[in-house]
Amino acid sequence: MPAQKNILLLGSGFVAEPCLEYLQRSGNNHVTIACRGIEKAQELASKYQNASAIALDVENDTALEGAVAAHDLTISLIPYTQHARVMKAAIKTRKHVVTTSYISPAMQELDAAAKEAGIICMNEIGLDPGIDHLYALKIINEVHDQGGKILSFESFCGGLPAPEASNNPLGYKFSWSARGVLLALRNNARYWQDGKLVEIEGKDLMDSARPIFIYPAFALVGYGNRDSSHYRERYNIPHAETCVRGSMRYQGFPEFAKTLVNMGFLDDSPRESLSADAAGDLAWNKVSQQLLGHSSDSPDELLKLIEAKIETQDPEIRKRIIHGIKWLGITSPDVKAAKRGTYLDVLCARLEELMMYGEGERDMIILQHKFEVENKDGSRNTRTSVTLMYGEPNGFSAMAKTVGVPCGIATQLILDGKLTATGVVAPMTPDIYQPIMDLLSSEGINAVENTY
């Protein structure tokens, strides 16, 4: 029987368990779950036979190095800002690392040292980034191998409620904190469109949303996700006049989100009136009155002001937004606001009260790559690749599974000696992405391709 492999898993968040469950199947792996507070790690470890828990502060370099040294491989599912610290410990102790995050400049700087140490620092192996790379590069390399060119590449991914669970005015729900989702609305976008470099400021991001047609059953819209302009080089598609990677939401979300932005709810500067120390209860109409700088806290007056902030002229969407504002209760004197210190965090608390997944509700992930291809003989066609998955009611969410399982697969392949490219790497070459794709299909994670 092969010798036991010891894996250090940093973090116990929602993607950790599908990763842990996958790694338990070999029978030769022992996983140590490490968190700053041991309780969550113990709770997760108690569900599996070959798992244990430790308390670990990753900002304590001595403790981190000791924990990394005691294991064959470390999986880092903690905030991405800590990955470079984990990699430094791994380099020092000559142990492998796996993360699901984008390679940051601080991580890339460690490439030469990782190669010298002979270790693999595998990154970008979740959903987005991760699965998106695998199925995009599969088609790109097929086209190139057949002498063709990619003239246009569009990739949009959405983590959404399943249609039957999209039962609120935003058509969106949260598995965890709403803060990250709202802060993403401030991100700039940069991409190639018809040979021109498009740059969109965060304040205009929601205005750039456009319909994304995948299946007639879904009313989806998409908008650019940060800077995807460099993917022409990263994916080796220099002839692509359009190159964009973006996020998807259900129709109506951008207009509603833009109204909240226009009201000022993305302001994360501390406000004394919103602090936990402020005296007395805080009604939501008072919060909106302060935010809008109005003399009256009348719900009707506040609704008129908010209506003026709605930019779309579509009458149905305008009605939906007003209904949504009333549903949120943010003009009501009868709904108490959580005193979280900033307008952003007060809104987050309200969204989390109303928009978390309920018992038995499913989430959904949908990812589409769309390519315009010029073939070797000069003919042209369109190729698409669609990944669609639903979560299991009261089980793993689709998002958790499509992030955690690829991470687990990459980890196992490294431990088995089947992935060998050293340095700070991502699944960008067939020797890395093909073995992962082969195993993903047996987990029910795949892509449906079409050419027309």
Side-chain angles (χ1 to χ4, degrees):
M1 188 170 177
Q4 177 175 284
K5 297 293 185 180
N6 294 304
I7 302 161
L8 178 63
L9 175 57
L10 301 179
S12 61
F14 81 113
V15 302
E17 189 170 356
C19 179
L20 172 60
E21 189 276 330
Y22 183 86
L23 292 169
Q24 291 282 307
R25 298 183 204 168
S26 81
N28 294 321
N29 296 330
H30 182 274
V31 181
T32 304
I33 305 158
C35 299
R36 188 188 295 266
I38 198 170
E39 294 81 9
K40 285 188 175 180
Q42 287 174 326
E43 182 182 345
L44 181 54
S46 68
K47 300 180 185 180
Y48 297 92
Q49 186 174 0
N50 294 318
S52 57
I54 61 170
L56 178 66
D57 179 0
V58 296
E59 294 187 353
N60 180 330
D61 289 332
T62 302
L64 177 61
E65 287 171 13
V68 170
H71 296 81
D72 297 293
L73 181 149
T74 296
I75 300 170
S76 185
L77 296 179
I78 54 179
Y80 77 94
T81 51
Q82 299 286 4
H83 292 333
R85 182 190 294 269
V86 173
M87 285 183 183
K88 287 175 183 175
I91 289 165
K92 192 170 182 180
T93 57
R94 297 182 183 272
K95 300 299 174 84
H96 304 302
V97 177
V98 177
T99 88
T100 59
S101 300
Y102 285 108
I103 298 173
S104 69
M107 293 155 70
Q108 187 61 50
E109 285 176 9
L110 301 172
D111 180 52
K115 286 176 178 171
E116 189 175 340
I119 68 165
I120 302 166
C121 294
M122 176 67 67
N123 306 279
E124 304 190 23
I125 191 57
L127 169 62
D128 178 4
I131 290 172
D132 57 347
H133 292 329
L134 312 184
Y135 295 117
L137 289 164
K138 173 184 178 291
I139 289 180
I140 289 167
N141 288 331
E142 284 175 359
V143 170
H144 288 168
D145 289 346
Q146 293 162 10
K149 300 174 185 174
I150 303 294
L151 302 180
S152 172
F153 169 68
E154 295 184 346
S155 174
F156 287 89
C157 184
L160 298 162
E164 76 278 5
S166 62
N167 53 354
N168 65 53
L170 273 160
Y172 195 81
K173 286 189 176 171
F174 302 99
S175 301
W176 63 102
S177 168
R179 201 174 204 271
V181 175
L182 291 185
L183 284 176
L185 301 177
R186 302 200 306 202
N187 292 335
N188 298 340
R190 194 166 184 260
Y191 52 87
W192 291 98
Q193 185 74 48
D194 299 324
K196 295 177 182 176
L197 188 60
V198 177
E199 299 189 67
I200 298 171
E201 291 186 42
K203 65 182 179 63
D204 301 319
L205 185 64
M206 292 298 97
D207 296 330
S208 70
R210 58 182 172 86
I212 303 294
F213 300 105
I214 300 179
Y215 298 126
F218 297 127
L220 298 167
V221 295
Y223 48 87
N225 182 9
R226 303 197 187 192
D227 185 358
S228 51
S229 62
H230 63 288
Y231 274 84
R232 288 208 302 195
E233 290 74 35
R234 200 169 191 211
Y235 282 174
N236 188 28
I237 47 173
H239 302 99
E241 298 254 302
T242 293
C243 180
V244 57
R245 299 169 83 244
S247 299
M248 279 190 289
R249 297 288 182 262
Y250 286 124
Q251 177 262 339
F253 177 96
E255 293 88 350
F256 198 149
K258 184 64 187 291
T259 302
L260 296 174
V261 170
N262 290 346
M263 288 176 68
F265 269 119
L266 296 194
D267 182 353
D268 60 353
S269 55
R271 304 280 172 170
E272 195 174 323
S273 61
L274 304 178
S275 74
D277 298 329
D281 291 335
L282 182 62
W284 255 107
N285 65 325
K286 292 289 186 185
V287 175
S288 293
Q289 177 194 9
Q290 293 170 27
L291 179 62
L292 296 167
H294 195 50
S295 57
S296 169
D297 63 4
S298 158
D300 289 340
E301 290 288 317
L302 293 172
L303 278 171
K304 286 179 187 174
L305 284 176
I306 293 167
E307 193 165 5
K309 303 279 187 185
I310 302 173
E311 293 184 6
T312 178
Q313 297 307 306
D314 183 310
E316 288 303 315
I317 294 181
R318 289 181 71 88
K319 274 189 209 173
R320 176 174 162 181
I321 293 169
I322 289 297
H323 164 66
I325 294 294
K326 292 177 180 177
W327 178 81
L328 285 175
I330 61 176
T331 60
S332 171
D334 302 319
V335 180
K336 290 180 183 176
K339 292 186 281 187
R340 296 282 184 88
T342 73
Y343 287 117
L344 172 68
D345 292 300
V346 172
L347 178 63
C348 286
R350 184 60 180 157
L351 295 179
E352 289 163 13
E353 283 176 35
L354 295 174
M355 294 171 59
M356 300 299 281
Y357 282 94
E359 186 77 16
E361 289 188 331
R362 302 185 302 167
D363 74 325
M364 172 184 91
I365 68 95
I366 186 163
L367 164 67
Q368 178 183 250
H369 298 313
K370 185 176 182 182
F371 307 84
E372 300 300 332
V373 176
E374 182 180 291
N375 299 302
K376 185 178 181 180
D377 63 3
S379 64
R380 295 190 178 190
N381 55 34
T382 299
R383 293 184 65 172
T384 60
S385 167
V386 176
T387 298
L388 173 63
M389 276 199 70
Y390 294 96
E392 305 158 18
N394 303 316
F396 292 150
S397 69
M399 181 63 76
K401 186 172 180 179
T402 52
V403 176
V405 169
C407 178
I409 288 173
T411 297
Q412 192 65 57
L413 289 169
I414 291 169
L415 292 173
D416 292 345
K418 294 177 180 177
L419 297 183
T420 57
T422 60
V424 177
V425 297
M428 291 287 149
T429 51
D431 60 310
I432 298 176
Y433 69 69
Q434 193 61 57
I436 297 172
M437 285 174 59
D438 292 343
L439 292 171
L440 276 176
S441 61
S442 62
E443 301 299 314
I445 301 172
N446 51 38
V448 175
E449 296 181 5
N450 277 297
T451 301
Y452 53 91

